[in-house]
Amino acid sequence: MPPTESTGIAADPATLIDRLGLKPGHATIVGLQWGDEGKGKVVDMLAAEFDAVARYNGGANAGHTVVVGDQKYALHLMPSGVLYPGRVNVLGNGVVIDPEQLVKEITGLRERGLTIDSSTLFVSNRAHLVLPYHKTQDKLQETAYTMPNALDQSVEGIGTTGRGIGPCYADKALRSTAVRVVDLLDMDTLRHKLHRIVPIKNATLKALAGFTGEPFEPIDPDALLDWLKPLAEVLIPHVADTAGLLHGLTKENKRILFEGANATLLDIDHGTYPYVTSSNCSSLGAHTGTGVPGHRVGNVIGIVKAYQTRVGGGPMPTQLDDEIGDRIREVGHEYGTTTGRPRRCGWIDLVALKYTASVSGATTLCVMLVDVLADLPELKLCTGYKIDGQVVDRFPACSEDLSKIEPVYETLPGFAGPVDQCKTIAELPENAQAYLKFISDYLGVPVVLASVGPKRDQTAVG
Ligand code: IMP
């Protein structure tokens, strides 16, 4: 399918799909670090050549910034395909939907002239709703957990985004206190449901507030319903059986791009537990989170930042608390899209990446923010972990072990900037190419794209 809008790399007649060497069929895009790798830019560029974009996990804790011309779009819930006219955009059953945030994004994009209607945006009827009490519970839970007790004066919290993600997925697992998108279709039944759930929530919140010394205001189920009604009116035209829709598209040989939010090291099962989010954000989640089985997806595009960042709690072996870390943060604008929090920055961690590339089954790599490393005298890459005097290249299951690690580095010479006009990897300075080759060789996965600036046309491919 031809791009409907210039991707800035369309000068080459081959499609981006061809230039990235993708096999026919669907593809998953997944972050391989702790999030904020720049997935949104690659999804946005590829969306031009796919028929549908489907998000499979997470909620408004994610943040994608996409720059198109002089327009900047900060999306939290919307699949990045919304910026291309005529694409099918899906929020799958694995996503947790904050109705207020989704309506805000829909109306915000409409005000900027984009068509968001019932033929371009589909929200799974099986997805779960994040309600205001989830956000209250999220914050109270963090406060409660980090309070001093008889044994510890303080402990590190998960450092959540406060968007209610954990409590919403917890309710999904509990079942009796969950509210799903499908419930918006019948306000009478929803009223009965909220009258059962809200008193339980009030009891939980009251206990947490009492424990932490925070004020407590009970929620009125009817007031909650009144708040939900106008939001439901906007959302109802978009509610669909999205698994059925995606199977139908697959049968018609349409191509689907599965868009992961957050990233593999934040995956609840495979990430740095407990400092993770509450969903399967590795590529494995694409299947449970949309209802499309694994054998349908032959391409997994692993998105890697040229260095490492992390926001929130939890160990990060290559963290730099020095002027290089500060410089990376300033040049890379490493502040959260969702919370504005400064991100911890450090050298790329190939031990962690080897683990996540295998868990997510990356077939192709895109290395983002390469320009941020320009003009540093030397570049370090972590190739081993020293634990108790022994060097290992395994990624530990336990965050306590990860926090004890001393990274072992390989040092390569730096490269001079600017690099933002390079259109192919071969045009990059030799030392930058050597840096990318080192990553590719270590992980055994080809690097097919290097991002050299925030805009679509600041991209070196092939
Ligand atoms: P939660 O997802 O709000 O529960 O946060 C759990 C952890 O995941 C915290 O350390 C967050 O900072 C982190 N996190 C969640 N989503 C993202 C993301 O999109 N980028 C980076 N970190 C994230």
Side-chain angles (χ1 to χ4, degrees):
M1 184 172 292
T4 49
E5 189 179 337
S6 169
T7 59
I9 53 168
D12 188 311
T15 62
L16 185 57
I17 286 180
D18 290 339
R19 295 178 72 198
L20 297 182
L22 300 188
K23 288 185 275 178
H26 306 330
T28 298
I29 290 204
V30 64
L32 297 183
Q33 292 152 316
W34 279 291
D36 315 308
E37 293 92 350
K39 299 177 287 289
K41 175 173 168 175
V42 183
V43 177
D44 169 61
M45 286 168 60
L46 271 173
E49 297 175 19
F50 279 77
D51 301 287
V53 179
R55 255 193 74 173
Y56 58 82
N57 76 296
N61 52 350
H64 299 257
T65 307
V66 183
V67 181
V68 186
D70 57 1
Q71 294 279 314
K72 197 169 171 182
Y73 297 90
L75 307 174
H76 294 283
L77 266 167
M78 279 290 191
S80 308
V82 289
L83 302 181
Y84 281 93
R87 294 298 176 281
V88 169
N89 290 280
V90 170
L91 290 171
N93 56 277
V95 178
V96 286
I97 312 277
D98 176 340
E100 190 176 38
Q101 177 65 31
L102 184 54
V103 168
K104 195 168 145 197
E105 289 185 31
I106 291 173
T107 47
L109 290 170
R110 281 181 183 156
E111 278 163 14
R112 291 171 79 173
L114 291 159
T115 307
I116 312 289
D117 61 21
S118 55
S119 67
T120 55
L121 178 67
F122 298 86
V123 181
S124 171
N125 49 10
R126 290 182 161 86
H128 283 250
L129 286 182
V130 179
L131 294 172
Y133 52 70
H134 289 127
K135 295 182 211 173
T136 312
Q137 193 178 344
D138 197 356
K139 287 173 195 149
L140 284 173
Q141 176 79 22
E142 278 281 279
T143 310
Y145 180 69
T146 51
M147 280 173 49
N149 68 12
L151 296 182
D152 295 301
Q153 267 318 291
S154 69
V155 294
E156 186 177 29
I158 307 294
T160 73
T161 60
R163 297 293 177 116
I165 306 297
C168 182
Y169 279 114
D171 278 341
K172 176 178 178 176
L174 281 171
R175 294 148 293 156
S176 54
T177 41
V179 182
R180 298 195 300 169
V181 168
V182 69
D183 296 323
L184 295 176
L185 302 179
D186 179 351
M187 282 292 152
D188 210 34
T189 311
L190 181 57
R191 182 161 180 265
H192 284 269
K193 207 170 221 184
L194 290 180
H195 272 266
R196 296 225 149 257
I197 294 171
V198 168
I200 302 173
K201 283 287 153 191
N202 277 335
T204 309
L205 295 180
K206 189 175 177 188
L208 276 172
F211 182 68
T212 56
E214 298 283 326
F216 166 69
E217 193 65 50
I219 303 150
D220 170 22
D222 287 319
L224 181 60
L225 192 70
D226 288 344
W227 173 83
L228 257 175
K229 275 181 189 160
L231 300 172
E233 269 172 39
V234 180
L235 296 180
I236 284 169
H238 302 279
V239 177
D241 165 16
T242 52
L245 172 79
L246 295 171
H247 286 152
L249 292 174
T250 304
K251 264 199 191 129
E252 292 168 26
N253 284 325
K254 303 274 194 225
R255 300 190 80 165
I256 303 164
L257 191 59
F258 296 95
E259 178 181 11
N262 326 120
T264 307
L265 285 175
L266 292 172
D267 185 289
I268 182 126
D269 285 289
H270 301 285
T272 47
Y273 197 89
Y275 301 101
V276 293
T277 189
S278 304
S279 66
N280 283 121
C281 22
S282 66
S283 71
L284 304 170
H287 315 297
T288 52
T290 62
V292 176
H295 71 276
R296 297 278 185 205
V297 187
N299 303 286
V300 177
I301 305 166
I303 311 294
V304 178
K305 200 179 275 198
Y307 44 91
Q308 209 78 16
T309 61
R310 183 162 203 183
V311 64
M316 173 177 158
T318 62
Q319 182 171 332
L320 293 171
D321 295 313
D322 60 11
E323 69 279 8
I324 296 180
D326 292 345
R327 187 196 141 136
I328 291 175
R329 184 176 310 105
E330 292 318 312
V331 179
H333 309 292
E334 293 294 353
Y335 294 89
T337 325
T338 304
T339 58
R341 291 180 289 181
R343 298 178 186 139
R344 295 181 266 151
C345 300
W347 298 119
I348 195 164
D349 184 342
L350 295 180
V351 180
L353 277 168
K354 195 162 199 162
Y355 167 69
T356 54
S358 64
V359 166
S360 272
T363 53
T364 292
L365 298 176
C366 299
V367 181
M368 314 303 284
L369 292 127
V370 173
D371 52 303
V372 173
L373 296 184
D375 302 318
L376 285 172
E378 57 182 25
L379 303 171
K380 294 190 180 204
L381 306 94
C382 172
T383 54
Y385 286 169
K386 204 172 195 179
I387 307 177
D388 300 329
Q390 277 213 315
V391 177
V392 296
D393 63 1
R394 270 176 297 100
F395 194 73
C398 187
S399 280
E400 281 79 9
D401 286 345
L402 196 63
S403 66
K404 289 187 210 140
I405 270 159
E406 198 189 310
V408 178
Y409 288 112
E410 180 79 27
T411 304
L412 295 181
F415 59 90
V419 292
D420 63 330
Q421 295 307 313
C422 297
K423 300 290 180 221
T424 63
I425 291 176
E427 282 175 46
L428 287 169
E430 253 172 50
N431 287 350
Q433 289 183 52
Y435 183 74
L436 297 179
K437 185 170 179 324
F438 194 96
I439 296 170
S440 168
D441 289 349
Y442 189 96
L443 302 181
V445 186
V447 172
V448 293
L449 179 151
S451 177
V452 289
K455 296 190 178 151
R456 282 177 182 168
D457 64 359
Q458 292 172 319
T459 310
V461 188

